[in-house]
Amino acid sequence: HRELAFAKQDVASFVRQHASSYSLTAVCVARVMHGISSVAFPSTQWRSSPFWGKHMAVDFSKLTRFAEHVLTAKRPKKRASTAGPAQWQARGSS
């Protein structure tokens, strides 16, 4: 269970550090944590990162879920429109 707690902390840290510079997805984050190279995160550039391959013992799907949770929480919330169906009809009938 300690490994999962450390993995969650590292996923959050990775997202905080790199979200503004890279278009991150949950799978990208999990791949880095497992040390799996990709076009966006090649091992030649990323293997010196403290996150690279650090959590190979954690299930890939769990890392993906952690990352999705962190990325979703980081995205700005969309404001709901104040116009409802009655207002849409009123606009269309003018």
Side-chain angles (χ1 to χ4, degrees), residues 6-83:
F6 289 135
K8 286 179 182 182
Q9 291 173 354
D10 284 342
V11 164
S13 293
F14 183 84
V15 169
R16 268 194 313 277
Q17 290 177 25
H18 300 291
S20 62
S21 302
Y22 296 92
S23 180
L24 295 178
T25 66
V27 172
C28 287
V29 175
R31 288 177 68 111
V32 169
M33 298 294 159
H34 264 239
I36 301 171
S37 188
S38 67
V39 174
F41 296 91
S43 63
T44 53
Q45 293 176 339
W46 283 87
R47 77 176 110 211
S48 62
S49 166
F51 300 106
W52 188 260
K54 186 173 181 181
H55 296 291
M56 289 190 289
V58 176
D59 183 67
F60 190 86
S61 63
K62 286 184 181 178
L63 287 171
T64 304
R65 283 195 301 271
F66 297 158
E68 186 60 43
H69 177 75
V70 172
L71 289 166
T72 302
K74 192 158 181 57
R75 290 185 190 120
K77 303 230 188 297
K78 292 182 181 179
R79 286 182 39 170
S81 172
T82 57

Side-chain angles (χ1 to χ4, degrees), residues 83-91:
Q87 288 139 331
W88 296 333
Q89 281 183 333
R91 287 183 190 158

